[in-house]
Amino acid sequence: MGLLNRQLYARRYAKDQSGFSLIEIAVVLVILGLLIPPLVIAYNVTMQRIKYQKTRAAFSSVEGAINLFVVNNGRYPVPASLAGSEGDAWYGTEGNNATPELCTSATWFASDGMCVTNTVPEILIGAVPFDALGLEPENTEDYWHRKLLYAVTRSQATAGSYIPKLAAGSGITAMAYGDMAAAPANLPGAYDMVLVSFGENGEGAYTNRAVAMNICAPGGVVQLENQNCDYDDVFMLDSHPNSSFRATGARSMVNDANYYDDFTSEQEFVPAGIWFENGIDPDYAMTLSAKVGIGTVQPKDRLHVIGGVRAGNGVSPASIITPEICDKYFEDPGAECFETELIGGNRPEMDCGENLIPGDEPVLKVGNDQVYCASPVDSFGSVTDASGTAYKFSAGTFTPLDCPSLLGPGAMMTGIDGAGVVTCALP
């Protein structure tokens, strides 16, 4: 019995050491061949989603900070230097908008690290100025830790020349596919700014250490993507902002002239109608527009109203306190404006009693930022000066009244009612 058991064990052991048969290996390979491709595809899709989300989050953060900057400063920020890196005093600060080098110059990167196009209109191109926006450097980088390219219309980044909405042809030109059956075309309108991530191949990108990745080669094999790294006033968007084709857009990984893996974010104008609390003083509300227009789409001042305005506390009659009243048909600052303090204030030059002529003088009218006074009259309305040629109230049309004696020192005449009775008031 012992011998039989040893023989059975030897046979079983020999079988266990014989390994897998070719059929078993083939079955395993077939199963792996069925499982691995879907897993690889799922992994690639997941990674693409992560890259997309990280880059889009950076775009969103930068756009929000830029719009707040526009509200607080009345202009877009000037791009920072693409040559800046950690340790540089000017890293992430606004660049030179006074005399920037042309993008066609061979020395712009070494000098300013940002440049201006030689086009009309001029476009400033550089990095996102995270220091001026109050952002961390990593908030202005894409998934590959490369700097986002920031292009902005120069006039919109210049104090005094910013307007809420540019006219067609006066800003950045954006191109996009509306339909894959047609070539990419220029979008209507004009864009304030464009943000660009140069994607996985990094053609035209600079790392957060200011190291150039693949050099942009306009006219080379990758012609479509070169629109974003040739430093001119035309940019190719990754998708059409107003098309059903937006989901796929220009993205193509085929290594030919239509290769495109960039991510972009564009802004035609600062969003209006969105109100938020002032981060400095919560008693004030602000809008994402630097200027608010009511009855006009092109406001010329911080608040430009065409039409009636009513203000009050909800209890007393509506009232408005304003330093000036201006003719709405004149847009030039100071044109056809009248200082309300001339009537309602206490300015000596508007007091007919504040002069060297003795006696009481009535006010004839107020205009052209001055008061017009009549000749001194006595209590019977008779002219008391030597000329006797100045305006004189006719008998029966004016009831003499001394405002200071009625209301106290400083009282002034404010008008004459329909019955010819003078009305007085203290300033």
Side-chain angles (χ1 to χ4, degrees):
M1 188 66 179
L3 178 60
L4 180 59
N5 287 338
R6 283 196 299 271
Q7 291 175 340
L8 292 174
Y9 175 79
R11 292 174 182 174
R12 188 180 299 114
Y13 179 79
K15 183 178 181 180
D16 291 342
Q17 295 300 310
S18 64
F20 296 103
S21 66
L22 292 177
I23 295 177
E24 291 172 328
I25 293 175
V27 170
V28 171
L29 291 176
V30 170
I31 294 174
L32 290 176
L34 294 174
L35 294 177
I36 289 178
L39 292 175
V40 171
I41 293 174
Y43 173 78
N44 289 335
V45 170
T46 300
M47 290 305 301
Q48 287 297 325
R49 185 180 298 113
I50 291 173
K51 296 171 186 177
Y52 176 88
Q53 291 174 343
K54 168 67 170 65
T55 304
R56 289 297 173 191
F59 284 154
S60 179
S61 177
V62 170
E63 286 176 355
I66 286 177
N67 288 335
L68 287 176
F69 184 96
V70 174
V71 169
N72 291 324
N73 297 276
R75 64 174 177 84
Y76 276 81
V78 177
S81 171
L82 285 165
S85 59
E86 188 174 356
D88 294 326
W90 37 270
Y91 184 39
T93 62
E94 289 189 272
N96 168 32
N97 190 17
T99 56
E101 282 209 43
L102 290 175
C103 296
T104 53
S105 168
T107 61
W108 70 263
F109 184 82
S111 58
D112 291 338
M114 56 86 67
C115 62
V116 63
T117 63
N118 60 348
T119 58
V120 179
E122 297 175 314
I123 309 300
L124 297 171
I125 304 177
V128 177
F130 59 82
D131 182 72
L133 300 178
L135 296 174
E136 295 296 328
E138 55 266 25
N139 295 137
T140 62
E141 300 170 2
D142 60 15
Y143 171 83
W144 298 272
H145 301 294
R146 300 166 189 155
K147 298 177 180 181
L148 297 180
L149 189 77
Y150 169 48
V152 61
T153 303
R154 187 180 185 184
S155 63
Q156 294 294 74
T158 304
S161 65
Y162 168 81
I163 60 175
K165 184 175 174 59
L166 291 169
S170 58
I172 298 172
T173 298
M175 299 178 64
Y177 275 109
D179 187 339
M180 275 304 292
N186 293 347
L187 298 175
Y191 286 80
D192 284 345
M193 71 171 187
V194 173
L195 299 171
V196 179
S197 161
F198 292 100
E200 193 147 8
N201 76 341
E203 183 171 0
Y206 289 87
T207 69
N208 53 13
R209 297 180 181 272
V211 177
M213 297 296 295
N214 297 326
I215 302 300
C216 181
V221 176
V222 187
Q223 296 177 13
L224 185 64
E225 196 172 60
N226 288 336
Q227 286 288 354
N228 293 337
C229 59
D230 57 2
Y231 290 82
D232 62 10
D233 60 334
V234 181
F235 286 82
M236 180 68 195
L237 305 184
D238 59 13
S239 58
H240 195 295
N242 302 309
S243 171
S244 59
F245 191 62
R246 185 178 178 88
T248 51
R251 197 158 304 281
S252 172
M253 300 304 174
V254 179
N255 189 22
D256 58 15
N258 291 323
Y259 181 92
Y260 187 96
D261 71 342
D262 288 359
F263 294 93
T264 62
S265 181
E266 72 286 346
Q267 180 163 283
E268 194 171 355
F269 49 83
V270 175
I274 302 175
W275 293 80
F276 58 91
E277 187 178 57
N278 187 322
I280 300 175
D281 190 339
D283 290 335
Y284 291 86
M286 300 175 68
T287 177
L288 287 180
S289 294
K291 298 176 182 178
V292 178
I294 301 176
T296 173
V297 296
Q298 292 288 344
K300 303 296 184 181
D301 214 323
R302 294 180 181 178
L303 177 62
H304 186 168
V305 180
I306 295 180
V309 178
R310 182 180 178 88
N313 57 16
V315 179
S316 60
S319 60
I320 295 177
I321 299 176
T322 178
E324 288 185 331
I325 299 175
C326 302
D327 189 328
K328 71 179 181 181
Y329 297 105
F330 290 82
E331 305 294 357
D332 296 332
E336 296 297 319
C337 291
F338 182 81
E339 295 183 52
T340 54
E341 189 181 25
L342 295 176
I343 299 177
N346 185 21
R347 289 168 56 161
E349 66 268 28
M350 302 303 292
D351 185 352
C352 285
E354 295 288 334
N355 54 46
L356 300 178
I357 302 175
D360 298 325
E361 294 179 288
V363 176
L364 290 181
K365 65 178 181 178
V366 176
N368 296 327
D369 289 355
Q370 69 182 56
V371 66
Y372 292 85
C373 305
S375 299
V377 295
D378 58 23
S379 60
F380 299 100
S382 300
V383 176
T384 58
D385 68 350
S387 66
T389 58
Y391 176 84
K392 176 182 177 181
F393 288 106
S394 301
T397 62
F398 173 69
T399 302
L401 181 64
D402 186 353
C403 289
S405 64
L406 178 66
L407 298 179
M412 300 174 63
M413 185 179 76
T414 58
I416 302 174
D417 64 16
V421 178
V422 172
T423 58
C424 306
L426 290 169

